[in-house]
Every structure is written in C-alpha cells, then in structure tokens.
Amino acid sequence: MSVLNIVLVEPQIPQNTGNIARTCAATGARLHLVKPLGFAIDDKKLKRAGLDYWHYLDITYYDGLKDFFAQNSGGNFYYFTTKGQANYSEVAYPDNAYIVFGREDAGLPEDLLFHNPETCVRLPMRGGIRSLNLSNTVAVATYEVLRQWGFPALESQGNLTKYNWEEATCPK
C-alpha cells in the first residue's frame, strides 16, 4: 500500500495544523510534527480544526529536524517552498514520499533548501505574494501526489442522501 508522509517543521498556528490533520485523516497520509511547535498539542483551536478525526491519524513527533532526519534516513524528501525552482506538479513522487513544509512565518531553513535544490518545489503564484496559507498548500500538494498514484484506497464517488444517482436525469 502506498504511503504519503506530510511533514510540518515547527508549525506555529494551531488551526493550520488541525486542518492539515484533517487532510491526513481523509487521505490516510501520515503526519510528522517537528518541534518546537508554536502551540500546545492539546490546544482547543487545534482540536477544533481537526474535528473528531484524531483517532484516524498516524502522528509522529520529533525533537527537531536533526531528530526527524535521523529517524527517516533514506526517505524521498520534497521541500515545498516559495523559493523552489521547480513546479510541484512536474515531479513524479515515489511511494513513501515525504512532502515537507516549513513554519508559516519563515518557511524551511534556507541551508536545507540550498543543499537540496533538485527536490525544492513550489506552487506557482503571482509575483509580490508572499505565500499561500500552509494548510491550503498542504492540501494541494497532498492531492497532487495522490492523483499521480491513482488515489489509492480512497473513495472516488459519493452518494446522495435522499436520491439514487442511477435515477438522476440530466437536462438536454
């Protein structure tokens, strides 16, 4: 089974992390949180944003980037950054990919980016805009990877609550 790993390095805003946790629950992605965090893990805003999906999550905590890389050596890391030179949708993400995101206010450490130029990617956007919201960026990136993988183990069709789709009529 394909595994996608979402890595948040020193997230600062609990609502973003809660939204990302919900994305992980909905997609089956593993969540990696690299400390220090800008909030307590029991923060009400964090729990509210993630709703009642916390029991669906596979979360691992790390005491810093050094600890994260020590425990995940040999991983396929892709660094999402506004400083990246490659378009995120032009990369072929392998199974067990780690998509890595930095702090909302500072991004990823520049020395990490400098030493990994071939795996630094960005979402295209207009000039003069600092960045997209972290949880939005994670959602776009997550669904691009899963799209490339054919959305493994995800339901691709929904159901109506009061009607049956087979009985629907389309206007001519």
Side-chain angles (χ1 to χ4, degrees), residues 85-100:
Q85 299 297 298
N87 185 323
Y88 79 104
S89 63
E90 295 171 354
V91 172
Y93 299 92
D95 184 26
N96 203 34
Y98 289 78
I99 55 176
V100 184

Side-chain angles (χ1 to χ4, degrees), residues 2 8 11 18 24 46-47 59 61 66 71 74 86 88 93-94 98-99 105 116 130 137 148 159 166 171:
S2 299
L8 304 183
C24 289
L46 175 72
K47 298 292 186 189
I59 304 178
Y61 300 91
K66 188 175 183 179
Q71 292 190 47
Y88 79 104
Y93 299 92
Y98 289 78
I99 55 176
D105 61 346
N116 296 283
R130 280 193 315 274
T137 303
Q148 289 183 16
N159 295 305
E166 281 103 36

Side-chain angles (χ1 to χ4, degrees), residues 9-171:
V9 177
E10 301 180 12
Q12 299 297 297
I13 301 172
Q15 296 92 328
N16 281 336
T17 301
N19 288 337
I20 293 163
R22 187 171 181 179
T23 297
C24 289
T27 61
R30 295 182 63 218
L31 180 59
H32 302 262
L33 297 178
V34 179
K35 296 176 183 177
L37 308 179
F39 49 86
I41 204 62
D42 60 353
D43 189 302
K44 284 183 190 178
K45 294 173 184 168
L46 175 72
K47 298 292 186 189
R48 180 181 168 113
L51 296 175
D52 56 351
Y53 296 121
W54 292 100
H55 63 284
Y56 290 110
L57 296 174
D58 179 355
I59 304 178
T60 306
Y61 300 91
Y62 303 90
D63 288 326
L65 267 177
K66 188 175 183 179
D67 182 33
F68 168 75
F69 286 118
Q71 292 190 47
N72 296 287
S73 63
N76 297 301
F77 304 105
Y78 298 88
Y79 305 100
F80 279 74
T81 172
T82 59
K83 299 169 179 92
Q85 299 297 298
N87 185 323
Y88 79 104
S89 63
E90 295 171 354
V91 172
Y93 299 92
D95 184 26
N96 203 34
Y98 289 78
I99 55 176
V100 184
F101 304 86
R103 291 171 57 127
E104 292 93 338
D105 61 346
L108 291 164
E110 204 159 281
D111 63 326
L112 176 67
L113 303 177
F114 181 78
H115 290 97
N116 296 283
E118 67 286 350
T119 55
C120 290
V121 298
R122 73 177 264 129
L123 273 65
M125 59 186 164
R126 294 173 58 194
I129 304 297
R130 280 193 315 274
S131 66
L132 293 174
N133 174 275
L134 177 62
S135 64
N136 293 338
T137 303
V138 171
V140 169
T142 298
Y143 274 90
E144 172 59 21
V145 173
L146 295 174
R147 182 195 65 78
Q148 289 183 16
W149 295 354
F151 300 108
L154 300 181
E155 292 181 7
S156 294
Q157 296 181 336
N159 295 305
L160 299 171
T161 56
K162 293 178 10 180
Y163 301 97
N164 184 332
W165 277 117
E166 281 103 36
E167 298 170 4
T169 57
C170 296

